[in-house]
Amino acid sequence: CGGGEAAKEALRQVEEAAVREDNVREAERDAEIFKRQLHESKSENELLKAQVEEAQEQLAELNSQFEELTIELEEAKEGKTKEATAKGDSGEAEASKAPQEASKALQEG
């Protein structure tokens, strides 16, 4: 019955080889899935990088606009201050003329 033992051993080895082959196929499938996921992740990362770059460009543009508006605001404030000072000076002159004109009107009246 030694032939029976050899046949059993051969069958066991064939079954083990089939299990190993199944394990290899499963590992290959897992590797393919991983490769696809990695490729998708790389694509998503590239998309996110592009979005970040676009957002940075927009931020730089907004910062530039903000700086321009700040300068315009400062210039406008300076202009109003100068205008107010000029009006204040002319207002004082007008105010000093008013009593003189009133007294003239009374004298003439």
Side-chain angles (χ1 to χ4, degrees), residues 8-50:
K8 285 181 183 177
E9 180 61 23
L11 182 60
R12 188 183 64 76
Q13 288 179 356
V14 167
E15 288 173 349
E16 286 177 1
V19 168
R20 282 194 299 271
E21 191 175 327
D22 285 344
N23 289 342
V24 167
R25 281 193 207 120
E26 188 175 330
E28 287 172 345
R29 277 193 307 269
D30 290 346
E32 282 301 315
I33 291 170
F34 178 75
K35 284 180 187 177
R36 275 195 303 267
Q37 289 174 338
L38 182 61
H39 179 71
E40 289 172 4
S41 291
K42 285 182 180 179
S43 296
E44 288 175 10
N45 282 345
E46 289 172 9
L47 178 63
L48 289 173
K49 282 181 185 178

Side-chain angles (χ1 to χ4, degrees), residues 58-70:
Q58 290 175 350
L59 180 60
E61 187 175 324
L62 289 173
N63 279 334
S64 176
Q65 290 174 359
F66 178 76
E67 288 175 16
E68 289 174 14
L69 290 173
T70 302

